[in-house]
Amino acid sequence: APRRYLSFARRLVERPRWAIEDLVMWRRQRQSPARSWDWSPSAIDLREVCSELQVELSEPNVSTNREATGIAEWDGSPELGALLWSLVRGLRPGRVLELGVARGYSSAVILTAMHLNGSGHLWSIDLPEMSLDAATTGSLVPTSLQDRWTLTLGPSSAMLPRLVSQHGPFDLIVHDADHTPETQRREWPTLRRAPKPGGVLIMDDLSRDAFTQAHEASPSAVWVVSQTGRSGKPKKLPMGISQRGP
């Protein structure tokens, strides 16, 4: 706790707007934490999702220093990595939007697949965790892949509408940022308009409220997939995937 207080004090001096957003996020997480919900009746196998999206499920072939530095809780689930790799390789998206970067493992998966495709660009938004130095953000992304990457640091409340307006619509969107139900509810109206027709939206650690909103908007194309945590045990919250209609 003392270390966190010091990190917050340093951020308050260096980046006061980020510090205010940290306080708001902390309050949201205290008042409205992500809670387990009975999503199992809606769950399907990841391979079935890929079949519906007409891509072949395959494991990512990515070269990073993640093994040397240790797999962190921010790196995303194996299921998320496999889905991102399969979608980018199979659908060959031209424009991808990512919310939440941390060390950048998911970013590296997307960018490596784009490099092999020979096309595509990734726009990422991240408000670095106070426990992580800002320089750590995206540190797993090799320099050789960064020509296809635009990383914007700051709160998604300000950055998301701007990026969608300037660079949307997108072929693929990945939401792996603040997972509180309140944030997912707030950002869903912008996110649902951001994909191109046929575009795919992935929301990690899906809340019941966000799933309900997604299902009401696209009842025939919303999938829920279970995930594996760092310990190898199932995560309490699933991954949600939706596809915008034509």
Side-chain angles (χ1 to χ4, degrees):
R3 182 180 178 182
R4 189 168 183 84
Y5 293 147
L6 288 174
S7 298
F8 177 75
R10 182 169 62 249
R11 178 163 289 189
L12 188 60
V13 172
E14 297 174 354
R15 297 184 181 269
R17 291 184 62 186
W18 290 15
I20 292 171
E21 185 67 19
D22 281 325
L23 279 177
V24 172
M25 192 182 304
W26 176 82
R27 186 166 176 261
R28 277 194 223 114
Q29 291 168 350
R30 296 274 292 184
Q31 293 182 340
S32 180
R35 293 188 175 90
S36 297
W37 57 285
D38 186 16
W39 45 266
S40 54
S42 304
I44 69 171
D45 185 78
L46 186 57
R47 197 171 298 277
E48 292 182 57
V49 176
C50 288
S51 177
E52 292 280 351
L53 295 171
Q54 300 182 356
V55 299
E56 181 181 353
L57 179 63
S58 57
E59 293 298 316
N61 183 14
V62 180
S63 178
T64 70
N65 64 344
R66 185 166 79 138
E67 289 72 22
T69 57
I71 298 174
E73 61 182 302
W74 307 287
D75 289 346
S77 69
E79 291 82 5
L80 178 59
L83 179 61
L84 291 175
W85 178 264
S86 303
L87 289 177
V88 177
R89 290 292 281 148
L91 299 180
R92 305 178 67 88
R95 294 169 178 260
V96 178
L97 175 63
E98 176 187 38
L99 286 80
V101 176
R103 302 195 308 165
Y105 178 69
S106 294
S107 309
V109 169
I110 294 169
L111 290 165
T112 301
M114 285 181 169
H115 175 73
L116 293 174
N117 291 347
S119 62
H121 193 89
L122 171 64
W123 286 266
S124 301
I125 303 171
D126 191 70
L127 179 63
E129 284 276 341
M130 283 193 296
S131 57
L132 296 175
D133 188 281
T136 306
T137 302
S139 59
L140 293 181
V141 178
T143 304
S144 59
L145 300 177
Q146 294 183 12
D147 59 330
R148 297 187 182 277
W149 191 30
T150 300
L151 172 61
T152 302
L153 299 181
S156 60
S157 57
M159 305 301 173
L160 176 59
R162 186 184 311 166
L163 278 180
V164 169
S165 174
Q166 292 176 349
H167 303 291
F170 297 92
D171 301 285
L172 174 63
I173 300 172
V174 188
H175 188 291
D176 190 13
D178 180 16
H179 302 297
T180 59
E182 183 179 337
T183 295
Q184 291 184 357
R185 283 196 304 269
R186 186 192 69 217
E187 295 182 343
W188 174 254
T190 302
L191 291 171
R192 67 174 291 190
R193 296 191 302 268
K196 292 180 178 179
V200 177
L201 168 62
I202 301 170
M203 187 167 281
D204 193 31
D205 291 338
L206 184 72
S207 71
R208 180 192 294 274
D209 290 346
F211 171 75
T212 300
Q213 286 179 309
H215 205 275
E216 288 173 349
S218 312
S220 62
V222 180
W223 304 281
V224 173
V225 176
S226 61
Q227 301 188 89
T228 306
R230 184 182 177 190
S231 64
K233 297 179 180 179
K235 294 179 70 174
K236 68 177 183 178
L237 292 174
M239 172 171 55
I241 305 107
S242 66
Q243 184 175 34
R244 183 169 181 175

